[in-house]
Amino acid sequence: MDNSEIKKQIKEFLLEEFPDQEAELTDEVDLLDNWFVDSVRIVEIILFMESRFGVYLNRADIQGSNFQNIDSIAELVQKHMSQE
Amino acid sequence: MQSLAIEYLYHSSLRHSEKTAIYHDGKEITFGELWSQALLLADVLKTLFGSDSAPVAISIPKSIHAVKAISAVQLAGYVFVPVDTNVPPARREIMLKELGEHHLIEYAEGGFTVDGREIALKANGGPEETSGLEKSLMGSLAGRASGEPLYVMFTSGTTGVPKGVTVSNLSVINYIEWAADTYDVNHEEVIGNQSPLFFDHFIFDMYMTFARGCSLHIIPEKFYRFPGTLVDYLIENRVTLTFFVPSVYTHLVALNLLDCSKELSLKKLLFAGEPMPLKILKKLRELFPDALLTNLYGPTEATVDATYWIFGDELGGLEKVPIGQPCRNVKIIILDDNGRPIYEKDKTGEICIGGLGVSPGYWNNPELTKEKFIQNPEHSYYRDIFYRSGDLGYLSSGDGLLYLVGRKDHQFKHLGQRIEPGDVENALLKAEFVETCSVQYDAENSEIVAFFSASAPVASGELRRHLASALPNYMIPRRYVQLETFPLTANKKIDRKMLWASYVRGLNKTRETEKK
C-alpha cells in the first residue's frame, strides 16, 4: 500500500468520526487542536490503524508528535508496515 | 486528635522536612519548603482579606503553585474552591456568582495574583521568620472546629448552573484516616496523580501525601492524552499507587500498554468515578497478580468515596463488578420510589449515604440542599442526615455486596466526569436557532449525542462552536442529530427512550450497510 492510499484511508476514518469540523482536513492540519481532544479519540485512531493496516504500535509510538497530522500518522503506519 | 485537615501538612513538615512532597513537570518541592512558602502566602492573604470570611476560589491548573495556594488559604483560615481553568469565561462567571462574595487567586508569569492584582511575596526570611508565622497562623486556627467547611467543589447541575458541594475538615480527615489504614499507606508510597484540581480524587492524592508523608507526582494532562508516555512516566518515577478513573486503565489495557507490567512498580491500583468494566478488571488481575485492586464509589457530596471493595480470590467468579461495602463511619440505605427503606436483598432502589462523609449541603443553595439531603426515614428521634445520590443499586443476596445498576434521573459519567444532560441542553437552547433539544449518552461508544430541532438546517460545526463558548470541552457532544419533530410521551414531554431506540436502530442499520 502506498503512502497516498494510507493517507486517503486515514482521512476517510477521521471524516467519519469527526463530522463537520471547522477546519478543512488537509494532510498538514494540526489534529491535536481540534480533532484529538481527548484520549478516547486517540485510542480509536490507534485501534483503527491496527485493524485496518495490521500494524501494532508500541509504547514509544503513542506520543503527540506521531499524531500531529495525517502526514505523521501515515509515516508511522508506513514505518511499521515496512518492518512487519 | 486533629481538628483541621491542614494539620497533616504541619506534621509532615516536621517529620519529613527534607523529603520531596510533590513533583510536577520537572519541578519539585520538599515538605519543609511547601510549608514555609504556604505560610508566607497565608500571611499575605490574611492581611488582604482580614476578618472577611468569604471563600477563596483558586483558578490555577494542577501544579505545585496550586497546592501552595490551597494550603495557604487553609492556613489563613478560609474555605478553598478549586475552579477549572479550562472552562469558558461565561461558565466561570456563573460558578463564581453562585459562590456569592468571594476572592480569587490565580497564577501568571511567575507570581500569584489575588482578585486581579499581583502580590509580592517576601523572600523566605529563614527558620526564625517561618517559626514566627507558624506560631501566629496556627495560633489563630486553634479555636476552629473540625465540622467547619474545608472546600467547595463544583459539579454539573440540571438547570445549567453548576452546584457547589461544601465539604468539612472532619469529613476529609475521616476519609483519609480510613483510606490510609485500609490501603496501608506510609511515607514510602509514591502516588501518581491523574485527577484535575476540581475533581475530588485530588483530595485523596493531596491529603494522603500530607497525612502519610508520601511523594506525589502531579502528572500533567498531556500524558493522559497519549497513554504511551504515561506508562513511561509511571516506570521512570517508580509510582506505586494510582487512583485513576476506570477509562484510563481501560485505554492502557486496550492498547496493550500494560503488557510491560513487570517494569512497573505499581502495587496499589485504585479506581472510582465510573463503572469499571469486568473484562478490564480481570485483565488487570492477570497483569498485576500481586497488586491491590480496589473499586470505590462515592459522589462528591459524600466526600470522595462512600463504599469500596478490595478484590481477592472471588474475582475469577464475578459476573459483575461490585461497589462493595460502606467505608468506615459511613452508612448506606436503599430507598424505594416512595422514600421507604428497602431491606430485602436483590431489590433495586436509590442509594442514600449517611455518616461522617455527608456534606453539610450545597453552597448558597438551601432549597436544593433540602431536596437532596434528607432525614433518615428509618426514624425521627434525632437529626440523621442522608444524601440521596440518585444512583440506583441493590444489596446482593449472593455475596452481600452492593451493586450499582444505573441512575434514577438522566445524569451520566463521561471519562469519569459527572454530567447532567440538562446542563448541556440549557447551553444548546441558548443558541437562537435551536428550538427543542435532548442530550443523551452513548455509553458503548463513549460519546455524548445531541438531538435538536431548528427552523433551518444547522451544521453541527456551528453548534459545536456555540457550545465551546459555554461549556468545558468534556461536556460538548460529539454527535448532532437534527430532527423535524421529537417523539413525545402522553404528557407531551420528549420521549427519551423512544428517541434513543430510534437512534440506536439507525446506528445499527448504518453498520450493517457498511459491512455489506
Side-chain angles (χ1 to χ4, degrees), chain B residues 24-25 62 193 218-225 230 233:
Chain B
H24 174 252
D25 218 8
K62 63 177 186 178
N193 149 278
I218 297 180
I219 308 176
E221 176 55 31
K222 61 183 184 217
F223 288 91
Y224 291 89
R225 205 149 46 127
L230 174 62
Y233 190 105

Side-chain angles (χ1 to χ4, degrees), chain B residues 378-485:
Chain B
E378 290 174 321
H379 72 87
S380 55
Y381 300 126
Y382 53 90
R383 251 170 74 86
D384 187 11
I385 301 301
F386 277 66
Y387 168 65
R388 289 171 46 197
S389 71
D391 289 320
L392 296 174
Y394 65 89
L395 200 59
S396 160
S397 61
D399 51 19
L401 299 177
L402 273 164
Y403 286 83
L404 204 60
V405 295
R407 287 289 302 173
K408 216 179 152 186
D409 53 18
H410 307 299
Q411 188 193 92
F412 57 85
K413 291 284 188 101
H414 175 52
L415 300 174
Q417 301 273 6
R418 169 172 156 184
I419 300 173
E420 293 286 354
D423 207 350
V424 185
E425 288 161 4
N426 213 278
L428 270 168
L429 288 171
K430 285 195 181 125
E432 56 209 36
F433 43 84
V434 173
E435 287 167 352
T436 311
C437 70
S438 173
V439 167
Q440 304 206 27
Y441 189 61
D442 181 349
E444 201 184 324
N445 298 303
S446 306
E447 56 191 28
I448 306 171
V449 185
F451 301 92
F452 69 99
S453 64
S455 41
V458 178
S460 43
E462 201 168 336
L463 279 172
R464 213 177 267 129
R465 188 168 48 230
H466 164 76
L467 289 177
S469 65
L471 296 175
N473 235 327
Y474 64 84
M475 287 176 76
I476 298 176
R478 176 130 179 266
R479 304 267 172 204
Y480 298 83
V481 182
Q482 184 162 7
L483 303 169
E484 295 274 317
T485 52

Side-chain angles (χ1 to χ4, degrees), chain B residues 42 44-56 70-81 103 141 144 149-151 169:
Chain B
V44 174
L45 297 180
K46 228 176 154 180
T47 314
L48 284 172
F49 307 157
S51 57
D52 171 1
S53 63
V56 182
I70 289 178
S71 306
V73 168
Q74 293 169 72
L75 269 168
Y78 309 110
V79 176
F80 73 90
V81 188
H103 296 287
L141 291 176
R144 303 300 281 266
L150 172 63
Y151 61 84
N169 282 274

Side-chain angles (χ1 to χ4, degrees), chain A residues 16-22 31-33 36-44 46-47 50 56-60 62-65 67, chain B residues 224-229 231-232 235 251 254-257 260 263 414-415 445-448 459-462 464-465 473 478-479 514:
Chain A
E16 166 65 24
E17 288 303 309
F18 304 84
D20 300 306
Q21 285 286 334
E22 303 260 338
L31 296 172
L32 300 183
D33 275 354
F36 296 139
V37 291
D38 60 46
S39 53
V40 181
R41 309 308 153 215
I42 297 290
V43 172
E44 276 174 1
I46 295 170
L47 295 178
E50 296 186 345
Y56 288 91
L57 304 188
N58 51 45
R59 208 157 77 217
I62 304 173
Q63 52 175 301
S65 57
F67 292 84
Chain B
Y224 291 89
R225 205 149 46 127
F226 295 97
T229 56
V231 175
D232 287 334
I235 292 175
H251 294 161
L255 301 177
N256 300 314
L257 289 171
C260 60
E263 295 171 50
H414 175 52
L415 300 174
N445 298 303
S446 306
E447 56 191 28
I448 306 171
S460 43
E462 201 168 336
R464 213 177 267 129
R465 188 168 48 230
N473 235 327
R478 176 130 179 266
R479 304 267 172 204
E514 273 171 12

Side-chain angles (χ1 to χ4, degrees), chain B residues 1-6 8 74 78-80 144-153 164-177 200 203 207 299-304 329 355-363 373:
Chain B
M1 199 186 111
Q2 73 187 83
S3 300
L4 304 176
I6 192 63
Y8 281 136
Q74 293 169 72
Y78 309 110
V79 176
F80 73 90
R144 303 300 281 266
S146 196
E148 290 185 45
L150 172 63
Y151 61 84
V152 174
M153 215 166 260
V165 180
T166 314
V167 175
S168 73
N169 282 274
L170 176 65
S171 293
V172 170
I173 295 168
N174 172 64
Y175 171 72
I176 293 293
E177 289 302 314
D200 68 3
I203 296 297
Y207 287 108
T300 306
E301 288 86 340
T303 313
V304 199
N329 296 324
L356 289 183
V358 180
S359 153
Y362 298 110
W363 186 267
F373 294 85

